[in-house]
Amino acid sequence: MSPSVVALAVSLCLSQSAAAPAPVEAVSTARTAAWVASAVGLLGASAAVSVVAGSRPHSWLVESSGRPVPLVTTAGFALGLGLNFAITHLLLPELVALGDSPTALGSAEAARAEAWKRSRWALLGAGVGLVGMTVGAGLEQAEFGSGQGLMLAGLLVVLVGAIVFDVLEATGAWQGYLASRRAP
Amino acid sequence: MKLSRRLFLAGLSAASCGLPSEEGPASPDFPLGVASGDADADGALVWTRYDGRDAVQLEWWKRDDPTTLRTQPLTPRDGGFCITALEGLEPGTWWSFAFSTSSARSDEGHFRTALADDALEPLRFGASSCSRQNYPLTPFLRAASEVQCDAFLMLGDTVYADGADDLPSYREKWNEALARRPNRLLRASTSLVSTWDDHEIINDASGDRLDPARVAAARQATFEHQPWRADGQMPQRLWRSLRWGRTAELFVLDCRSERNHATGEYLSRAQLDWLKAGLANSPATFKLILNSVPITAYPGAFFQAFAADRWEGFPAQRTEILDFIDSTPIDGVLWLTGDFHMGVAGRTARDGVGARQLEIAVGPAGNFPNPSLSYPAGPQFDFATALNNFTTLELDPASRTVRVQFFDGGSRTLFDRTYPL
């Protein structure tokens, strides 16, 4: 189980009690479970698509020419990060509708706004990591061995940033949804 | 044994049927085909595994002259292994051999005896490493069918025996590997000179950190499946040297089982001293060191992350041998290595000690590519590829040059450069 999934589950358990002062009835356990399952599935699918698409330029070059080009590898990571952002940020908040009931409806826009409010810093961090990777790749292409450390550090920041982004998107979307729930 | 006309004709007929078939071996009684190895000017070791119960006979003849057919009875060892030294052969000549019983005949194998001690002529060796059981081995098919190598150098990871821990399980891993057609064809096509690396034992194997019983089982299984000449005084010793006239001497190292982290020894002191003395005293123009893990210093975080597993993790010995070669000085040294899942041509250091010594990393023959995000490049390195491949080394003693070529498993030549040594 990935760290983002664990963090998401813990956060959602806490949010059940934190949502007590909501003006409408609490979301049922069944609806919460349905949303959790959908969110986990979406995050997993987003990660898989991003990894496959992001690694493809690197692996295509290695398989065809026998060696990678660091800047192309980095561009692949940027593509993967972009895909992950797009899938998660556009689709995840829409899933909160699974929590709706005949007596209470929430807002996907509110969910997305709260998610963005929380996750943007993680995305910024991943972006900084990507810049580091790009600089490292440029150095590496100029002189073998000179940019690997920066590439590696940037890669770690990108990965951590992407995981944190996913967790904050999910928890932020759910919290934003709970806060927006109103009687129809 | 006197050869009758009838027996000779029967032998020829059987020989024509004994060529490796498209899929399986010539006979299921010899499921792993045949091999030869450690050729010297006088002969070579020949090898097979026999799974039947009949008496086994070895046949050999000059490759281009079947009238020279000779035979000799053999008694398989435990496990059915037949390993024997053919002796008294002419230097520098091609020979063929096969094993037979009353009802079965093995594939045919071929080898060239090493050059006479004082002979000085060009040689071509093939080389590769890292042939994992579940990956295609198309480079071996190409090497066996398109290139005539005087010998083929196996730089280790010939089998991926990870998960095995006793003799039966190691034997099973070897069986999986050598039953494959590319391995059978390559091993039949010319003699082998081989060493082992970690995967003949376990990933990142280091002798001082493993159960001695496991290492002993892996060693026995390796000796059973590779035609290596055992040392008379120390039969468990893997390191040895082989002369091909005055053209080349091959120094085969054991880079795994004699490590001692406590004393900083990558090779035992005896092995390192033997190597230094051998290099210093060799009359050969070219001294090829078969070294299963790179001695090259690879810069950068990706490559330094795993440096502890190779010479760089034992810096005193690394500096000692490179400095010895530089300062003596010893000409004609060529380091050969494997392990990296990446073919590389370059110097062992960018500057300082070892900067003029050439190391060629061969393989992988069939494996996944090195996962680094960046591959070696100039000025220290001339070439790097992760494509599955094999290498040829054309040694020309007249010009004191070695032509290094990398080939993929299809039709491409990946690299072609001639280096003065």
Side-chain angles (χ1 to χ4, degrees):
Chain A
M1 186 175 286
S2 73
S4 57
V5 172
V6 173
L8 175 60
V10 170
S11 172
L12 289 170
C13 289
L14 294 174
S15 73
Q16 283 284 307
S17 54
V24 293
E25 65 173 336
V27 181
S28 70
T29 303
R31 290 179 187 279
T32 304
W35 184 81
V36 169
S38 302
V40 168
L42 181 72
L43 290 178
S46 175
V49 168
S50 303
V51 168
V52 169
S55 62
R56 195 60 205 141
H58 172 89
S59 52
W60 179 79
L61 269 175
V62 170
E63 288 162 11
S64 58
S65 74
R67 59 182 301 139
V69 175
L71 280 171
V72 173
T73 300
T74 303
F77 273 90
L79 172 68
L81 188 65
L83 276 174
N84 186 60
F85 167 76
I87 295 171
T88 302
H89 192 65
L90 294 179
L91 298 184
L92 192 65
E94 301 297 333
L95 295 179
V96 297
L98 292 168
D100 288 345
S101 68
T103 58
L105 300 177
S107 162
E109 285 309 311
R112 183 173 289 111
E114 181 65 20
W116 177 244
K117 184 178 165 185
R118 297 184 182 201
S119 66
R120 56 189 171 177
W121 301 110
L123 189 65
L124 180 65
V128 170
L130 206 52
V131 171
M133 274 194 80
T134 305
V135 173
L139 292 171
E140 187 65 15
Q141 283 191 203
E143 182 181 347
F144 172 69
S146 64
Q148 291 177 26
L150 199 50
M151 281 188 80
L152 197 57
L155 171 63
L156 292 175
V157 172
V158 169
L159 292 178
V160 170
I163 290 171
V164 172
F165 172 81
D166 280 357
V167 171
L168 295 180
E169 273 281 316
T171 57
W174 191 242
Q175 295 290 352
Y177 168 75
L178 292 178
S180 69
R181 291 179 83 234
R182 298 286 183 271
Chain B
M1 171 177 181
K2 186 170 169 47
L3 185 64
S4 70
R5 178 182 168 80
R6 178 170 295 179
L7 181 59
F8 172 64
L9 290 174
L12 273 187
S13 171
S16 64
C17 299
L19 294 172
S21 68
E22 197 59 24
E23 295 300 329
S27 166
D29 286 343
F30 299 96
L32 306 186
V34 300
S36 60
D38 282 8
D40 61 18
D42 188 48
L45 291 188
V46 291
W47 171 95
T48 193
R49 195 190 81 196
Y50 174 57
D51 286 355
R53 294 170 180 244
D54 294 339
V56 179
Q57 173 174 271
L58 169 65
E59 309 164 5
W60 71 97
W61 61 99
K62 266 189 183 177
R63 190 175 63 177
D64 300 325
D65 185 3
T67 63
T68 58
L69 179 69
R70 297 287 182 272
T71 64
Q72 167 187 315
L74 279 180
T75 302
R77 303 176 188 176
D78 173 50
F81 297 99
C82 303
I83 308 175
T84 193
L86 283 176
E87 296 171 335
L89 309 183
E90 291 171 37
T93 54
W94 280 94
W95 296 81
S96 300
F97 65 97
F99 299 84
S100 64
T101 67
S102 58
S103 58
R105 194 163 191 275
S106 72
D107 297 339
E108 284 180 13
H110 311 278
F111 66 87
R112 188 186 187 200
T113 47
L115 306 179
D117 281 353
D118 59 349
L120 190 66
E121 60 182 78
L123 290 170
R124 174 161 61 187
F125 295 132
S128 200
S129 72
C130 302
S131 46
R132 190 180 285 265
Q133 283 94 309
N134 55 343
Y135 277 75
L137 291 174
T138 49
F140 280 180
L141 292 176
R142 189 177 181 191
S145 62
E146 293 183 19
V147 185
Q148 181 70 78
C149 296
D150 294 305
F152 202 90
L153 317 181
M154 305 289 272
L155 271 294
D157 294 343
T158 302
V159 63
Y160 281 72
D162 308 71
D165 55 6
D166 58 13
L167 184 58
S169 53
Y170 276 111
R171 281 178 172 174
E172 182 51 36
K173 294 289 186 183
W174 276 100
N175 183 68
E176 287 172 15
L178 299 189
R180 300 179 66 199
R181 182 169 173 263
N183 261 322
R184 284 188 292 104
L185 293 183
L186 179 67
R187 289 163 66 89
S189 70
T190 189
S191 70
L192 306 174
V193 179
S194 39
T195 185
W196 72 356
D197 197 34
D198 54 338
H199 290 285
E200 276 84 353
I201 312 170
I202 189 175
N203 187 41
D204 287 348
S206 187
D208 59 343
R209 294 178 171 175
L210 289 173
D211 175 8
R214 180 182 214 147
V215 178
R219 189 188 305 268
Q220 180 175 337
T222 305
F223 266 103
E224 288 175 344
H225 291 85
Q226 295 281 52
W228 290 353
R229 290 186 188 276
D231 182 80
Q233 303 296 317
M234 303 164 64
Q236 298 303 304
R237 195 177 101 174
L238 301 184
W239 37 281
R240 62 206 187 276
S241 70
L242 300 150
R243 273 271 306 285
W244 282 71
R246 287 193 297 124
T247 301
E249 184 161 4
L250 309 177
F251 295 88
V252 185
L253 305 187
D254 173 3
C255 300
R256 289 292 176 183
S257 73
E258 298 188 356
R259 293 183 181 193
N260 187 334
H261 286 80
T263 58
E265 289 180 348
Y266 180 79
L267 308 179
S268 65
R269 176 45 58 182
Q271 185 179 176
L272 187 60
D273 288 345
W274 161 84
L275 175 61
K276 291 164 70 175
L279 290 171
N281 298 322
S282 176
T285 304
F286 301 102
K287 295 93 177 170
L288 276 56
I289 304 173
L290 279 67
N291 162 52
S292 67
V293 196
I295 195 168
T296 294
Y298 283 88
F302 298 143
F303 291 91
Q304 284 304 304
F306 305 101
D309 185 51
R310 50 184 195 261
W311 281 94
E312 286 183 275
F314 302 81
Q317 279 204 342
R318 177 178 178 276
T319 301
E320 178 181 341
I321 185 64
L322 291 177
D323 185 54
F324 176 77
I325 294 168
D326 272 354
S327 59
T328 299
I330 300 171
D331 295 329
V333 173
L334 176 62
W335 292 89
L336 298 170
T337 191
D339 184 57
F340 251 31
H341 297 205
M342 183 169 63
V344 181
R347 268 62 58 190
T348 61
R350 177 164 179 173
D351 45 42
V353 174
R356 289 182 291 116
Q357 295 178 42
L358 186 67
E359 182 170 59
I360 307 297
V362 300
N367 221 314
F368 60 85
N370 186 300
S372 174
L373 302 185
S374 173
Y375 278 21
Q380 183 183 347
F381 301 98
D382 303 320
F383 171 72
T385 185
L387 296 177
N388 290 333
N389 69 81
F390 73 99
T391 306
T392 60
L393 307 162
E394 294 181 16
L395 307 172
D396 181 1
S399 61
R400 302 184 72 89
T401 59
V402 56
R403 182 183 184 190
V404 179
Q405 291 179 290
F406 283 81
F407 302 96
D408 70 1
S411 58
R412 282 189 289 178
T413 300
L414 304 172
F415 178 73
D416 185 350
R417 183 169 296 188
T418 299
Y419 291 93
L421 281 182

